[in-house]
Amino acid sequence: METARTVPAATVVNLRDLGGIALGRDRRVRQGVLFRSGQLSELAPDHDRAVAALGIRTVVDLRTADERRWAPDRLPARARLFVADVLGDHPGVAPARLKALLADPDEADRALGGGRAEELFAETYRKMVLSPGAAAAYRAFVETVADPAARPVLFHCTAGKDRTGWAAAVLLMILGASRETVRADFLAVNPAVRAAFAPYVQKFLDGGGDPAVAAAIVEVRPRYLDVALDAMDERWGGLDGYVRTGLRLPEAVLDRLREGLVIGGRRSADRRAERARSDAPVWL
Protein backbone atom coordinates (compact mmCIF):
# COMPACT_ATOMS: atom_id res chain seq x y z
CA MET A 1 0.00 0.00 0.00
CA GLU A 2 1.26 3.48 -0.91
CA THR A 3 2.82 5.47 1.95
CA ALA A 4 4.61 8.79 2.20
CA ARG A 5 7.84 8.96 0.20
CA THR A 6 11.04 9.38 2.23
CA VAL A 7 13.05 12.50 1.40
CA PRO A 8 16.80 11.81 1.89
CA ALA A 9 17.58 14.84 4.05
CA ALA A 10 20.97 14.97 5.74
CA THR A 11 19.97 17.00 8.81
CA VAL A 12 16.22 16.38 9.33
CA VAL A 13 14.88 13.17 10.87
CA ASN A 14 12.02 11.23 9.30
CA LEU A 15 11.30 13.68 6.46
CA ARG A 16 8.52 12.38 4.18
CA ASP A 17 6.41 13.70 1.30
CA LEU A 18 2.75 12.70 1.59
CA GLY A 19 2.39 13.19 -2.16
CA GLY A 20 1.42 10.11 -4.10
CA ILE A 21 -0.65 8.44 -1.39
CA ALA A 22 -3.71 6.84 -2.98
CA LEU A 23 -7.11 8.28 -2.06
CA GLY A 24 -9.30 5.98 -4.17
CA ARG A 25 -11.19 6.62 -7.42
CA ASP A 26 -7.93 7.35 -9.26
CA ARG A 27 -7.10 10.21 -6.88
CA ARG A 28 -3.83 10.84 -5.09
CA VAL A 29 -2.26 13.42 -2.80
CA ARG A 30 -0.43 16.06 -4.81
CA GLN A 31 3.36 15.74 -4.58
CA GLY A 32 5.68 18.44 -3.32
CA VAL A 33 3.17 20.41 -1.21
CA LEU A 34 2.85 18.55 2.11
CA PHE A 35 5.73 17.16 4.16
CA ARG A 36 6.09 15.67 7.65
CA SER A 37 9.21 15.18 9.76
CA GLY A 38 10.83 15.21 13.16
CA GLN A 39 12.09 18.42 14.75
CA LEU A 40 14.26 20.83 12.75
CA SER A 41 16.74 21.74 15.47
CA GLU A 42 19.61 20.15 13.52
CA LEU A 43 18.67 21.47 10.09
CA ALA A 44 21.56 23.03 8.17
CA PRO A 45 19.55 25.36 5.90
CA ASP A 46 22.48 26.36 3.68
CA HIS A 47 23.88 22.85 3.21
CA ASP A 48 21.00 20.36 3.26
CA ARG A 49 20.17 20.42 -0.44
CA ALA A 50 17.31 17.93 -0.15
CA VAL A 51 15.44 20.27 2.19
CA ALA A 52 16.32 23.41 0.24
CA ALA A 53 14.93 21.86 -2.94
CA LEU A 54 11.48 21.49 -1.37
CA GLY A 55 10.88 25.24 -1.31
CA ILE A 56 9.12 25.09 2.06
CA ARG A 57 7.08 28.23 2.76
CA THR A 58 5.60 27.31 6.14
CA VAL A 59 6.84 25.15 9.01
CA VAL A 60 4.14 24.06 11.46
CA ASP A 61 5.62 23.13 14.84
CA LEU A 62 3.29 20.89 16.87
CA ARG A 63 5.55 20.77 19.95
CA THR A 64 5.15 22.23 23.43
CA ALA A 65 6.79 25.46 24.59
CA ASP A 66 9.41 23.50 26.56
CA GLU A 67 10.35 21.42 23.53
CA ARG A 68 10.64 24.50 21.37
CA ARG A 69 12.84 26.17 23.99
CA TRP A 70 15.11 23.13 24.44
CA ALA A 71 15.49 22.44 20.70
CA PRO A 72 14.36 25.44 18.63
CA ASP A 73 13.69 24.93 14.94
CA ARG A 74 16.15 26.09 12.33
CA LEU A 75 13.98 27.11 9.40
CA PRO A 76 14.55 26.57 5.69
CA ALA A 77 15.38 29.73 3.76
CA ARG A 78 12.40 32.08 3.40
CA ALA A 79 10.11 29.81 5.45
CA ARG A 80 7.89 31.18 8.20
CA LEU A 81 7.15 29.40 11.49
CA PHE A 82 3.63 28.64 12.67
CA VAL A 83 3.17 27.13 16.15
CA ALA A 84 0.25 24.78 16.78
CA ASP A 85 0.93 23.31 20.24
CA VAL A 86 -1.06 20.08 20.39
CA LEU A 87 -0.18 19.17 23.99
CA GLY A 88 -0.18 22.62 25.54
CA ASP A 89 -2.94 21.43 27.89
CA HIS A 90 -0.80 18.43 28.89
CA PRO A 91 2.87 19.45 28.43
CA GLY A 92 4.29 16.61 30.57
CA VAL A 93 2.82 13.69 28.65
CA ALA A 94 4.97 11.06 27.00
CA PRO A 95 5.49 12.26 23.40
CA ALA A 96 6.85 15.55 24.72
CA ARG A 97 9.49 13.74 26.83
CA LEU A 98 10.88 10.98 24.60
CA LYS A 99 14.55 11.48 25.38
CA ALA A 100 13.87 12.08 29.09
CA LEU A 101 11.99 8.80 29.30
CA LEU A 102 15.01 6.99 27.87
CA ALA A 103 17.54 8.79 30.09
CA ASP A 104 16.87 6.92 33.37
CA PRO A 105 16.42 3.14 32.94
CA ASP A 106 15.60 2.49 36.61
CA GLU A 107 12.93 5.17 36.82
CA ALA A 108 11.56 4.13 33.44
CA ASP A 109 11.17 0.56 34.67
CA ARG A 110 9.40 1.70 37.83
CA ALA A 111 7.08 4.10 36.03
CA LEU A 112 6.61 2.40 32.69
CA GLY A 113 7.33 -1.31 33.11
CA GLY A 114 4.75 -4.05 32.93
CA GLY A 115 2.98 -2.60 29.90
CA ARG A 116 2.45 0.85 31.43
CA ALA A 117 4.50 2.56 28.70
CA GLU A 118 2.08 1.46 26.00
CA GLU A 119 -0.88 2.49 28.18
CA LEU A 120 0.66 5.91 28.70
CA PHE A 121 1.10 6.51 24.98
CA ALA A 122 -2.36 5.16 24.18
CA GLU A 123 -3.92 7.57 26.68
CA THR A 124 -1.97 10.43 25.10
CA TYR A 125 -3.57 9.61 21.75
CA ARG A 126 -6.99 9.98 23.38
CA LYS A 127 -5.92 13.40 24.65
CA MET A 128 -4.80 14.40 21.15
CA VAL A 129 -8.34 13.76 19.93
CA LEU A 130 -10.44 14.89 22.91
CA SER A 131 -8.50 17.79 24.44
CA PRO A 132 -9.81 21.29 23.56
CA GLY A 133 -6.24 22.54 23.21
CA ALA A 134 -5.37 19.76 20.79
CA ALA A 135 -8.51 20.48 18.77
CA ALA A 136 -7.55 24.15 18.50
CA ALA A 137 -4.03 23.21 17.39
CA TYR A 138 -5.18 20.72 14.76
CA ARG A 139 -7.81 23.16 13.48
CA ALA A 140 -5.15 25.84 13.03
CA PHE A 141 -2.89 23.28 11.35
CA VAL A 142 -5.54 22.23 8.81
CA GLU A 143 -6.43 25.86 8.10
CA THR A 144 -2.77 26.59 7.43
CA VAL A 145 -2.37 23.65 5.05
CA ALA A 146 -5.56 24.72 3.25
CA ASP A 147 -4.09 28.16 2.51
CA PRO A 148 -2.49 28.09 -0.97
CA ALA A 149 -0.10 30.89 0.03
CA ALA A 150 1.28 28.76 2.88
CA ARG A 151 2.26 25.77 0.76
CA PRO A 152 4.51 23.85 0.54
CA VAL A 153 4.02 23.08 4.24
CA LEU A 154 6.27 21.01 6.51
CA PHE A 155 4.71 19.92 9.82
CA HIS A 156 6.51 18.19 12.66
CA CYS A 157 6.77 17.36 16.35
CA THR A 158 9.85 15.84 18.04
CA ALA A 159 10.21 12.45 16.35
CA GLY A 160 7.52 13.00 13.71
CA LYS A 161 5.48 10.01 14.85
CA ASP A 162 2.75 10.78 17.40
CA ARG A 163 1.37 14.33 17.11
CA THR A 164 2.59 14.42 13.53
CA GLY A 165 1.16 10.95 12.92
CA TRP A 166 -2.35 12.00 13.99
CA ALA A 167 -2.06 15.24 11.99
CA ALA A 168 -1.21 13.23 8.86
CA ALA A 169 -4.01 10.76 9.59
CA VAL A 170 -6.59 13.54 9.90
CA LEU A 171 -5.46 15.20 6.67
CA LEU A 172 -5.45 11.95 4.72
CA MET A 173 -8.93 11.01 5.95
CA ILE A 174 -10.29 14.46 5.05
CA LEU A 175 -8.81 14.04 1.57
CA GLY A 176 -10.56 10.68 1.21
CA ALA A 177 -7.99 8.05 2.22
CA SER A 178 -9.29 4.80 3.67
CA ARG A 179 -8.45 3.86 7.23
CA GLU A 180 -6.31 1.03 5.85
CA THR A 181 -4.24 3.54 3.89
CA VAL A 182 -3.99 5.81 6.92
CA ARG A 183 -2.84 2.91 9.09
CA ALA A 184 -0.17 1.86 6.58
CA ASP A 185 1.24 5.38 6.42
CA PHE A 186 1.05 5.79 10.21
CA LEU A 187 3.15 2.66 10.81
CA ALA A 188 5.61 3.32 7.96
CA VAL A 189 7.63 5.79 10.05
CA ASN A 190 8.91 3.13 12.46
CA PRO A 191 12.20 2.28 10.68
CA ALA A 192 13.23 5.95 10.46
CA VAL A 193 12.29 6.67 14.08
CA ARG A 194 14.09 3.58 15.36
CA ALA A 195 17.22 4.65 13.47
CA ALA A 196 17.03 8.22 14.78
CA PHE A 197 16.66 7.14 18.40
CA ALA A 198 19.04 4.16 18.21
CA PRO A 199 21.85 5.86 20.21
CA TYR A 200 19.45 6.80 23.03
CA VAL A 201 17.88 3.35 23.05
CA GLN A 202 21.28 1.64 23.11
CA LYS A 203 22.38 3.75 26.08
CA PHE A 204 19.09 2.93 27.79
CA LEU A 205 19.61 -0.81 27.22
CA ASP A 206 23.25 -0.65 28.30
CA GLY A 207 22.04 0.87 31.57
CA GLY A 208 19.74 -2.09 32.18
CA GLY A 209 16.60 -0.66 30.59
CA ASP A 210 13.78 -2.94 29.52
CA PRO A 211 13.67 -3.42 25.71
CA ALA A 212 9.87 -3.60 25.84
CA VAL A 213 9.71 -0.17 27.48
CA ALA A 214 12.09 1.30 24.91
CA ALA A 215 10.08 -0.14 22.04
CA ALA A 216 6.79 1.26 23.37
CA ILE A 217 8.39 4.71 23.67
CA VAL A 218 10.13 4.84 20.30
CA GLU A 219 7.66 3.02 18.05
CA VAL A 220 4.19 3.81 16.85
CA ARG A 221 1.83 0.89 17.20
CA PRO A 222 -1.49 -0.04 15.63
CA ARG A 223 -3.15 0.31 19.02
CA TYR A 224 -2.14 3.97 19.31
CA LEU A 225 -3.98 4.87 16.12
CA ASP A 226 -6.91 2.63 17.07
CA VAL A 227 -7.32 4.49 20.36
CA ALA A 228 -7.43 7.83 18.53
CA LEU A 229 -9.93 6.57 15.95
CA ASP A 230 -12.09 5.00 18.65
CA ALA A 231 -12.12 8.27 20.59
CA MET A 232 -13.15 10.12 17.43
CA ASP A 233 -15.93 7.63 16.70
CA GLU A 234 -17.22 7.53 20.28
CA ARG A 235 -17.30 11.30 20.83
CA TRP A 236 -18.33 12.53 17.36
CA GLY A 237 -19.61 9.51 15.46
CA GLY A 238 -16.72 9.46 12.99
CA LEU A 239 -14.61 11.75 10.86
CA ASP A 240 -17.37 14.08 9.69
CA GLY A 241 -18.47 14.91 13.24
CA TYR A 242 -14.89 15.31 14.41
CA VAL A 243 -13.99 17.68 11.58
CA ARG A 244 -17.15 19.79 11.73
CA THR A 245 -17.96 19.74 15.47
CA GLY A 246 -14.68 18.79 17.16
CA LEU A 247 -12.33 20.86 14.99
CA ARG A 248 -15.05 23.30 13.82
CA LEU A 249 -13.66 23.46 10.31
CA PRO A 250 -15.92 25.25 7.81
CA GLU A 251 -16.74 23.70 4.45
CA ALA A 252 -14.80 26.41 2.61
CA VAL A 253 -11.58 25.34 4.34
CA LEU A 254 -12.19 21.69 3.48
CA ASP A 255 -12.88 22.59 -0.16
CA ARG A 256 -9.63 24.59 -0.40
CA LEU A 257 -7.75 21.71 1.19
CA ARG A 258 -9.06 19.16 -1.29
CA GLU A 259 -8.69 21.52 -4.24
CA GLY A 260 -5.03 22.11 -3.46
CA LEU A 261 -3.95 18.66 -2.33
CA VAL A 262 -5.91 16.16 -4.44
CA ILE A 263 -5.11 15.31 -8.04
CA GLY A 264 -7.10 13.07 -10.38
CA GLY A 265 -10.75 12.08 -10.12
CA ARG A 266 -13.49 14.67 -9.76
CA ARG A 267 -12.43 18.16 -8.76
CA SER A 268 -13.84 19.98 -5.73
CA ALA A 269 -15.50 22.52 -8.04
CA ASP A 270 -17.45 19.71 -9.67
CA ARG A 271 -18.59 18.45 -6.27
CA ARG A 272 -19.62 21.97 -5.17
CA ALA A 273 -21.63 22.45 -8.36
CA GLU A 274 -23.37 19.15 -7.82
CA ARG A 275 -24.21 20.08 -4.21
CA ALA A 276 -25.56 23.43 -5.38
CA ARG A 277 -27.81 21.71 -7.93
CA SER A 278 -29.06 19.22 -5.36
CA ASP A 279 -29.79 22.02 -2.86
CA ALA A 280 -31.66 24.19 -5.39
CA PRO A 281 -35.45 24.53 -4.81
CA VAL A 282 -37.75 22.49 -6.97
CA TRP A 283 -40.59 24.53 -8.52
CA LEU A 284 -43.79 22.67 -9.28
Side-chain angles (χ1 to χ4, degrees):
M1 190 171 291
E2 195 83 37
T3 61
R5 177 180 61 87
T6 299
V7 178
T11 59
V12 178
V13 171
N14 195 18
L15 178 57
R16 303 163 67 79
D17 181 353
L18 273 69
I21 292 178
L23 302 171
R25 298 183 181 179
D26 298 322
R27 294 174 298 133
R28 293 182 176 274
V29 180
R30 187 182 302 277
Q31 291 186 331
V33 295
L34 188 59
F35 301 88
R36 57 179 291 183
S37 75
Q39 66 192 34
L40 306 185
S41 57
E42 302 301 317
L43 172 64
D46 297 330
H47 303 289
D48 199 326
R49 295 181 179 179
V51 176
L54 303 178
I56 299 298
R57 290 183 180 177
T58 307
V59 171
V60 180
D61 191 340
L62 304 174
R63 299 177 300 165
T64 64
D66 281 345
E67 291 173 285
R68 299 194 305 273
R69 183 168 59 252
W70 294 330
D73 275 350
R74 304 181 67 185
L75 299 180
R78 293 177 293 281
R80 71 181 182 99
L81 177 65
F82 184 87
V83 173
D85 184 349
V86 171
L87 296 177
D89 293 349
H90 309 278
V93 299
R97 301 187 297 120
L98 294 179
K99 292 178 182 177
L101 292 172
L102 293 171
D104 188 337
D106 291 336
E107 178 58 28
D109 185 59
R110 284 192 295 270
L112 303 176
R116 290 190 295 275
E118 182 169 320
E119 293 298 326
L120 182 65
F121 271 82
E123 180 57 30
T124 298
Y125 274 76
R126 282 186 60 82
K127 289 184 172 71
M128 290 195 294
V129 176
L130 301 178
S131 155
Y138 283 122
R139 178 174 64 251
F141 161 67
V142 174
E143 289 173 338
T144 299
V145 175
D147 180 1
R151 299 191 292 259
V153 174
L154 169 61
F155 61 101
H156 75 89
C157 52
T158 295
K161 68 184 185 76
D162 298 306
R163 288 161 287 185
T164 299
W166 180 243
V170 170
L171 278 180
L172 289 173
M173 287 188 291
I174 290 173
L175 297 179
S178 68
R179 292 196 178 188
E180 291 75 18
T181 296
V182 168
R183 184 182 307 279
D185 188 67
F186 177 78
L187 296 174
V189 303
N190 272 332
V193 177
R194 290 190 196 106
F197 279 83
Y200 303 98
V201 170
Q202 190 58 55
K203 186 175 181 180
F204 178 81
L205 298 179
D206 290 345
D210 184 347
V213 170
I217 292 171
V218 170
E219 297 174 353
V220 291
R221 294 182 168 178
R223 184 185 174 203
Y224 298 162
L225 181 61
D226 288 342
V227 166
L229 293 171
D230 287 347
M232 179 179 76
D233 292 343
E234 291 164 8
R235 174 68 63 88
W236 289 288
L239 177 69
D240 189 65
Y242 174 61
V243 168
R244 299 176 191 281
T245 305
L247 301 185
R248 295 187 286 115
L249 286 165
E251 191 65 35
V253 169
L254 302 178
D255 281 341
R256 286 198 302 271
L257 189 72
R258 296 179 182 117
E259 188 72 23
L261 270 66
V262 177
I263 57 174
R266 296 171 60 197
R267 294 171 58 84
S268 296
D270 298 331
R271 292 192 296 270
R272 287 198 298 272
E274 184 176 281
R275 283 201 304 271
R277 288 194 296 270
S278 66
D279 291 341
V282 177
W283 302 100
L284 300 177

